[in-house]
Amino acid sequence: MPYFTKLLLLIFCLVLLVESRKHRRRRWTSHLDAQRASHILKKNRDLTKAWKGKTDQLLRVDEHDFTMRPAFGGPAIPVGVDVQVESLDSISEVDMDFTMTLYLRHYWKDERLSFPSTNNKSMTFDGRLVKKIWVPDVFFVHSKRSFIHDTTTDNIMLRVFPDGHVLYSMRVTVTAMCNMDFSHFPLDSQTCSLELESYAYTDEDLMLYWKNGNESLKTDEKISLSQFLIQKFHTTSRLAFYSSTGWYNRLYINFTLRRHIFFFLLQTYFPATLMVMLSWVSFWIDRRAVPARVSLGITTVLTMSTIITGVNASMPRVSYIKAVDIYLWVSFVFVFLSVLEYAAVNYLTTVQERKERKLRERFSCSCGIPHSKTMMLDGNYSESDANSLAGYTRNQMVPEEEKPEKMVVHLAMSNESNSSRKRGLKGHVGLRIIQNTHAIDKYSRLIFPGTYIFFNLIYWSVFS
């Protein structure tokens, strides 16, 4: 038992010894770290950050009236601007506006914010200091909605240099108006502008300018839109006049967009062209197949109406004609004319059959006239041909069912001379040659496609 007690005491002593060494080592390490940190602070210490009291604050914010601009009463203060476009979020044709997210930066000098510094380093602050000093009152002209991002805090940065130069940056999303011209839609290009201007200060108090000219506008290389190709960004500036307040400096961020045409080719132009071509199928269908030709014509007309309605539903109600309207309505006219073409064919066929029926009723009987003879006339027979056919009887003629396009004329002839027979022909039928109604379909097979191809050549050469 005594041996076991001695062993426990020995183990306990060893544990105390190890813990004491660890404790001394940690204290020594902490002391070295403190000395090293103190040495670094002494080496890099900025004496401008040593606050000696409220009256000697570094920026002396409380000593000045920042409700007035710098150099109040003197010349206009120059305020440089540069912009980095982060994203072009959307373009709306219906609302005629666009949404853009950008970093807006202002540069000016306010000697009231100058401070002494041994290493000429700047100081950076967040949005809380912005409320205590003077900043330019720049706003977006013709903007509908705009806001400064505030997640997780207000996205505002203020950087002050020892000589009083100030950099003021914020992250803004703005929705602004864009006057679009849809006369060439969807083969159009649009130019939109985001305009910046001081709200209160005229050009006599504040001079806005692009800090580095065209280099003041930078864009993210990943910016892309689904319907548009961004061709270029550029900057301009000019004076804007208000009759009540005066002249103001206005800065413009201009960008040109060209619409992608492939989407509209698939959704609008190809379906419209196919409907027009489908309406031409009726020219090859038998004219007596009334249900087939009528249903095909009505279907293509209704389909074209649906395409036109769908395109106009996604567009603003402008009072002028767009390029797509010209194409769709001309295509609609071609489809409608194909329906009218069959109406004309059907009507002329009915008229011709009625005349044939009357002629058969009139000359079918040869009572009291010896040596009665019959003949057949169509649009290709001359008067001499009619005389040469006077000797044929009705039984020798081609049956009427096999020649529906011909008009059978029964002529009651006597054995008089040729001159008397000619007078008889002129007296009864006047030798009027009735045109075959099948010719309308034959000509339509050539005229409709040829005219539509010619229209397409002119359309794409003008609007492309």
Side-chain angles (χ1 to χ4, degrees), residues 278-342:
L278 183 61
S279 67
W280 300 338
V281 176
S282 64
F283 303 150
W284 278 266
I285 299 178
D286 190 353
R287 59 175 176 167
R288 291 169 293 185
V290 178
R293 295 189 67 164
V294 171
S295 60
L296 179 61
I298 296 300
T299 301
T300 52
V301 168
L302 293 178
T303 304
M304 283 301 304
S305 301
T306 303
I307 294 174
I308 294 173
T309 303
V311 171
N312 291 329
S314 60
M315 294 296 299
R317 298 178 180 178
V318 295
S319 59
Y320 49 85
I321 298 177
K322 304 182 290 293
V324 68
D325 293 335
I326 296 175
Y327 193 90
L328 292 179
W329 280 105
V330 170
S331 300
F332 182 84
V333 169
F334 271 88
V335 172
F336 187 72
L337 287 178
S338 67
V339 179
L340 294 182
E341 186 270 348
Y342 177 64

Side-chain angles (χ1 to χ4, degrees), residues 186-187 269 323-324 326-327 455-464:
L187 306 169
Y269 287 96
V324 68
I326 296 175
Y327 193 90
F455 161 73
N456 275 272
L457 292 176
I458 295 178
Y459 179 87
W460 293 108
S461 62
V462 170
F463 290 104
S464 294

